[in-house]
Amino acid sequence: MRIAIVYATREGQTRRIAEYLAGAFQAREVRVDLFDAKEAPDPVLEVYDAIVVAGSVHLGRHERELVGWVRRRQATLQRIPSAFISVSGSQAGVEMVTCTPEQRTRAREEVALVLKTFARQTGWTPHWIHPVAGALLYTKYNFLVRAIIKAISKRTGRSTDTSRDHEYTDWADLERFAGSIVSEVHGQ
Ligand SMILES: Cc1cc2nc3c(=O)[nH]c(=O)nc-3n(C[C@H](O)[C@H](O)[C@H](O)COP(=O)(O)O)c2cc1C
């Protein structure tokens, strides 16, 4: 089996997620090719048994280069089993047990909205859609971004401790996701 993973990232968490998935596929004897959408990769997609597209959310949108990459290949992606992984702070709010029910509902609505926007921008209906919680990298942000993200985090129930980074990604869930893709593609 052969799988392509195409990702876009701004602060690096989606690259870590893409690399983790690549390892999880390889452990299941899948051949994996990993591409950064920023490098405008143009592989022959038909050679793959499945394609995973992963991107992160900033200001309510996925990366421009990923939207463009998908839009240009939407018809091909529609024919090959394909997954979309959307990495966001909102999904952390959906999963965090410390969030109030209202915060969780709002987070769920935000995740649904960015997925809808991505679908409208690309015209692509993935076979699997998997929202994944990202990370707050306070130590890497500049002063302004740190202040904005802290204010958003206060409202949404995420950590406001800016002295360190906070990773919300559920790696065990990604491991299971990789397994389910491999078994579904095998079963076809
Ligand atoms: C400037 C900035 C804007 C962000 N905007 C959103 C947003 O609109 N919605 C959201 O759910 N998460 C938002 N996030 C959280 C990111 O999606 C999260 O940090 C993710 O892990 C980033 O992934 P990346 O490192 O692969 O770029 C934002 C983060 C930053 C730094």
Side-chain angles (χ1 to χ4, degrees), residues 7-17 55-61 63 87-92 107 110-111 114 132-137 141 145-146 148-149 152 158 166 169:
Y7 69 89
T9 185
R10 286 294 174 262
E11 286 96 39
Q13 189 67 10
T14 309
R15 181 183 312 111
R16 276 189 283 280
I17 288 166
S56 60
V57 179
H58 292 80
L59 307 177
R61 295 278 191 278
E63 289 86 353
V87 178
S88 68
S90 301
Q91 182 60 22
E110 281 171 11
V111 169
V114 294
V132 171
L136 294 182
L137 305 178
Y141 301 150
V145 172
R146 188 158 51 241
I148 293 169
I149 298 295
I152 293 172
R158 300 194 279 276
H166 304 271
T169 307

Side-chain angles (χ1 to χ4, degrees), residues 8-113:
T9 185
R10 286 294 174 262
E11 286 96 39
Q13 189 67 10
T14 309
R15 181 183 312 111
R16 276 189 283 280
I17 288 166
E19 286 169 354
Y20 181 88
L21 278 177
F25 286 134
Q26 281 158 352
R28 290 169 172 81
E29 304 195 344
V30 174
R31 275 175 67 193
V32 181
D33 292 320
L34 191 60
F35 302 100
D36 183 343
K38 230 178 188 162
E39 290 163 11
D42 195 18
V44 177
L45 294 179
E46 284 78 1
V47 303
Y48 296 103
D49 301 291
I51 295 165
V52 176
V53 173
S56 60
V57 179
H58 292 80
L59 307 177
R61 295 278 191 278
H62 288 87
E63 289 86 353
R64 192 173 305 151
E65 68 271 20
L66 194 69
V67 170
W69 192 91
V70 169
R71 193 169 38 211
R72 284 189 293 279
R73 293 161 181 85
Q74 174 265 337
T76 313
L77 288 172
Q78 220 60 71
R79 289 195 298 271
I80 302 170
S82 55
F84 179 47
I85 292 190
S86 171
V87 178
S88 68
S90 301
Q91 182 60 22
V94 173
E95 295 175 16
M96 283 171 72
V97 287
T98 50
C99 285
T100 65
E102 292 75 25
Q103 284 170 332
R104 213 164 301 135
T105 302
R106 181 92 187 94
R108 205 167 282 123
E109 287 167 358
E110 281 171 11
V111 169
L113 185 62

